[in-house]
Structures are given as structure tokens and as C-alpha cells.
Amino acid sequence: MMEEKELILKLRKELSQHNHNYYVLDKPSISDFEFDIKLKQLQALELSNPEMYDSSSPTLRVGGEVTKNFETLVHAQRMYSLDNSYSKEDLMDWEIRLRKMVDGPIKYTCELKYDGASISLTYENGMLIQALTRGDGTQGDNVTANIKTIKSVPLKLQGDYPVKFEIRGEIVLPFDGFKALNEEKIAAGEDPYKNPRNTASGSLKLQDSAEVAKRPLECLLYSVVGESTGIETQFDNLEKARSWGFKVPKVASLTDSIEGVLEFVNYWDLHRHDLPYETDGIVVKVNSLFQQAELGFTAKAPRWAMAYKFKAEQVSTILEHISYQVGRTGAITPVANLQPVELAGTIVKRASLHNADQIEKLDVRIGDWVYVEKGGEIIPKIMGVDLGRRSLNSSKTVYISSCPECETPLVRKEGEAQHYCPNDMGCSPQIIGRIQHYISRKALDIEGLGGETVALLVNEGLIHDYADLYDLTTDQIIHLDRMAEKSADNLVSGVQASKDIPFERVLFGLGIRYVGETVAKKLAKHYKSIQALSEASFEDLETVDEIGIKIAESVIEFFKIDVNIRMVSRLILCGVQLELSEEALSNQTTQLQGLRFVVSGVFETVSRDELKVLIDSNGGKVVSSISAKTSFVVAGSNMGPSKRTKADSLKVPIISEMEFLEML
Ligand code: AMP
Ligand code: ZN
């Protein structure tokens, strides 16, 4: 049998290679399932062999380290911006300037300008040691723990890399991942993220690296900066970086004239929408590093590089009418219905108008010619009105004052941009939306029942809320349109099977506003039953890890409403899981009941997350900052000195992970 130590090394190598194949080369070489098993095996082995710690282990990809305040550090080499150009003339002028400053022929590397958040990575002896954001260019924030969770960032390099160097790139959130994240947000009744770029840069500054690990970010590299890397051109730089294991998009191209650059521009202006991520232009760089050194920098940007910005794609078309959609939470969204027009390779018929303020601000009117643009957002937006083409008898848009579905007067809460239909019990899109959410995959996952059937069942008057699902009989539904006997049976048995779905998913399915998947898990774990949750006070809810004012208020609101209480009772009577199962409970104790812990630093035998789970499942509370109420600070290595001083001054005992584990 292989020694554990050898096995650890073997698994690390194997898993790093699979990661590389999947995330850098886009060529998966193992199933997700097998990968998970091997990763779990490695995690277990590392746990029992703490002396084998390695900061480049693939197990660190899942995150866990929490950064309260990002440390600001000076860039070894400044991160410059780029000069911009918008036309062929701009580029020609640039070339004339270049010719005056360097001798000999000039070649250019053309690359895409990835639209995300810039990052500078430092490697020493092939290991990632630091990742800084651009900041103001001179100093940036240390986001290393977060960057390590991004799977296309190599933690350990291959090949003939220099001993020490910096490499720069862009953290992007590809469209697919952006869409998936937003589907989750919407399922939780939250506002979706605006665009991939802001979401990517926001992700870098999340405090909990485990949260970053969940976001499908990618790191695209474009420039190696180092003392002496032995490389002579930008193009070779890119190739080399690729060979060391970095994700460097293959679209870069080498040309020896501005005409060649323009060809590249024209091609990508047309084809950029086929790319999996956002780009906002291209970047042209003088290829020879020797010439680059001759050219140097202005106060703001390198003289040897130039960005060429694509024109935002915009078309104008006629606004035919405005319709109003009612969401599951009652939120009203105005939608512009347009005369169909082609934009960025697709036919656009609708655009978002966001809310009443937006309509007011743009003063859009029915019949107007409007400018429609497609940015990073999936749904195009209206940028403005072509007033020159406005007809004389147009009239100002009056926002609806009652629900388009149920005619209830709309309300708008202080500080909120959206109008709401308050008739949540009688307004059909809200009723249908709630049931659709209840049966969705991450909630009760009812097999044999889809969104359209839900609408049909509601419209036929067979169900009014999700509790009604459990009373449905085959006889009732077999007469419905397109419903065969078999599918009617499937539906009924699917509903019955949902009684085995664990509490946390049922809680998510209830559709309490702001209670998404993760929050539902936290609440289920903490309160253990719907009964306890419904009796929790606002103050008590707020002390639960990660539960803020907004969520606490929303939970209280939900249980204030009689109809909800009755519905939950009916679910309980039907046998739906509204408390933690015996099994889930048996992993829990009350040993740490009433104690509050702050966890800080890096640990050896258990991860930070595991520590938190241990505290949680034994009845303790994890809090984020030290106060007089803190019972213990569990300190690993690298705990910040300010925390230590604070704990000392408040006389909060500091214990090691071993001392903590002995408490259990
Ligand atoms: P700007 O922020 O408009 O001054 O543009 C400079 C930024 O463009 C840099 O900080 C990089 O983050 C980003 N960028 C994206 N793609 C590239 C690329 N291929 N080469 C250089 N910079 C790039
Ligand atoms: Zn309504």
C-alpha cells in the first residue's frame, strides 16, 4: 500500500492537472463525481497529516479564509491604465508618434480587452504568493485568499518559469456563470446582479473566500512583468505564460502594420458576441520588449500600448407599448415592447425600463424612437429618446397605479424603486410564481410537475397555494388539457415524494423574501423547526450568523400573516418536513449553548469552515467581531495583532484550536 504522504502528493498532482485541463484548457479529463471523491480523499488525508500543509494544494480552492480588512500593499511595478483610441486615424497618429521614438520595423500584438477587474499575481519559485487588485495603480488590495479559489489561476506552475515574476490579467465572470448566479438570486426573490464586470470586481472584495469559490470567475492573463524573464516579445510572453499553466486566450495575433491591427478590430467587432465573456475593445501592444523599454510610459499609461474601444452597439427603433410584469414577490417591472430590430446579432423585441423613475428620467413615450443598447446585461436597455423624431401629439407616460393582473392599487415603499402589488393572496402571477418556486429544483423538486402545469392548475381553480398540491387527486387532473393518465399519476406521486425533502429546502421553497438557499440552510440549522423559527424575535434572528436586518424583518413579516401560518400548518399535517430530521439532529449537541466565538487566523487540523460548523452544530454562535459579549477567540496562526489587543483589553480568553477541540 502506498504511504499516506506519497498518496497526498500523487492526489495533489493529479487533481491540479484535472483542474488545469478543465479550467484552463477547457478539456475535462475526469467526471465531476470522480473529482469530488478524490478531492474528499485528499482533504481527509491532509487533515490527518497536518505537517504536509502546502499552500498550493487543490483543497484550498474551496476557500474558507475570511478577510475582514484587505491589506493595502504597494505594487512592485505600477499598474498603468491604457490610452484609448476610437478610429483608424487615432491609430495612425499613434504609429507616427512611435516611429519618431524607435528605430526599425514595428510589429504589434493584438489582444482582446477583457472587461472585468484587473489583478496582479506574484509567483516565486513557481508558487502563487500574492494577488493584488489594481487599486490606484500604485497600491492595491491584497486579495490572495480570494484569488486562490479561482480554478484557472495556477497555484503551482509547470515548465521553465522565472524564479520570481509578476503576471497581470483580468478577473472576468463569463456570461454563463453570470446567468446562473442571477437565476439563483431571482429564485431567492432578490435583485439580480447588474452586469458581469461589477459582479466580478465585487467578488474580489468579499470577506469570505468560500463565497468567492462559489462564483464561477475566471482569470485571463495578458502580461508578464519581471526582472529578467529572458523573453523578447509580448507575443512570446503570452505563449510562455500559457506553457507555465496560465489561461491566456488564444485569440491574440501578431501583425506588422496598423492595417493588420484594423483587420483584427473589424473581425472582433463583429464576432465578440460569440465569446463566452465580455470585451469592450482590443489592446494593441508594440511587440518587441526592447522597443517597449525605449518607449516607456507617460504619467498615466505605457506609450507602447493602445486600447481601441468598440462602439457600444446601439440601434434605434419605435417603442410600441409598455407592458407591466408582476413577479412572484409582487414587484412590478415595466417592459418596453419594441418594433423588432437587430442588435448585436439577435432580434430585440423587448427592453427593460426598470421602474417608474427610469421612465420619468428618460421621458419615454409610446411611439417614440428610442435608442437601445446592449451592454453586459442580458436584457437590452433603453438609453434615451430621439427627440427629433417625436411626434407632436405624443403624451407623457403615466405609470400604472393599479396591478395589471388584479387591479389592486400598487404601493411603493419608502426607499424602494419598485412598485408592488400588495394583493399577494389574490393576484394570479404571484400565486403561480410562488407555487412555481415551491416546486423548483432547489426547493421541493417535484417530479412530474412543471411551471406551465402549475399555471394551468391555478387557472382551473384546482390549487391556490402550494399546500393545495398535496390534496390533488388523479381524478381531478386527468381531465385537464394535455394531461394523460400516466402524467396525472406521475404528478400525484411526485407531490407525495416531496414529503421526504429535508427541512432546509422546504424552508427555501416557502418563498420568504430574501430567504435564499444559503439563508434557508442557516435558519434551518439554527432553529431546527419551523415552529421555533416562527416564534423567533427580531433580536434573536439578527444574532444568527449572516442574518441581517433585511432578512430578519422579512421572516417576522411572513409569520405575522395568518394565511401563511395556516398554510404552514397544513404542510405539517400533510407530512412535509418542517423540522430537522433525527439524523440531522443527532449530529448536534448543546455543549456550547450560549457561548459566542470569534474565529481568527489559519488553522492546522481543521479548516476555518469546519470550526464554524463545529461551533454551530454544538449550539454555539459564531460572531464576526470581538466585543465584550464574546466568550472565546479561537486563534490560529496569523491572527492579526489588533484582534489580539482587542481581546486582551476586553479580557476575552484566546484559545488555540486544540483547546477548542478539547471542549467538545
Ligand atoms: P482602462 O481601465 O480603460 O485604463 O484600461 C486598462 C485596463 O484594461 C488594464 O488595467 C487592464 O485591467 C485591462 N485590460 C483588459 N485586457 C487587457 C489586455 N489584453 N492587455 C492589457 N490590459 C488589459
Ligand atoms: Zn396584482
Side-chain angles (χ1 to χ4, degrees), residues 326 403-408 410 421-423 427-430:
V326 187
C403 176
E405 301 283 343
C406 71
E407 289 168 19
T408 306
L410 300 181
C421 165
N423 181 20
C427 179
S428 89
Q430 296 188 58

Side-chain angles (χ1 to χ4, degrees), residues 79-84 111-119 134 169-170 221-223 234 280 282-283 285 300 307 309:
M79 288 182 87
Y80 285 88
S81 321
L82 291 169
D83 283 332
N84 287 323
E111 297 161 37
L112 293 174
K113 190 167 189 293
Y114 321 110
D115 203 9
S118 3
I119 194 80
R134 177 158 111 177
E170 200 82 357
L221 284 310
Y222 53 73
S223 134
Q234 165 66 6
D280 59 343
I282 68 152
V283 184
K285 295 171 188 166
K300 171 185 158 258
K309 291 277 174 96

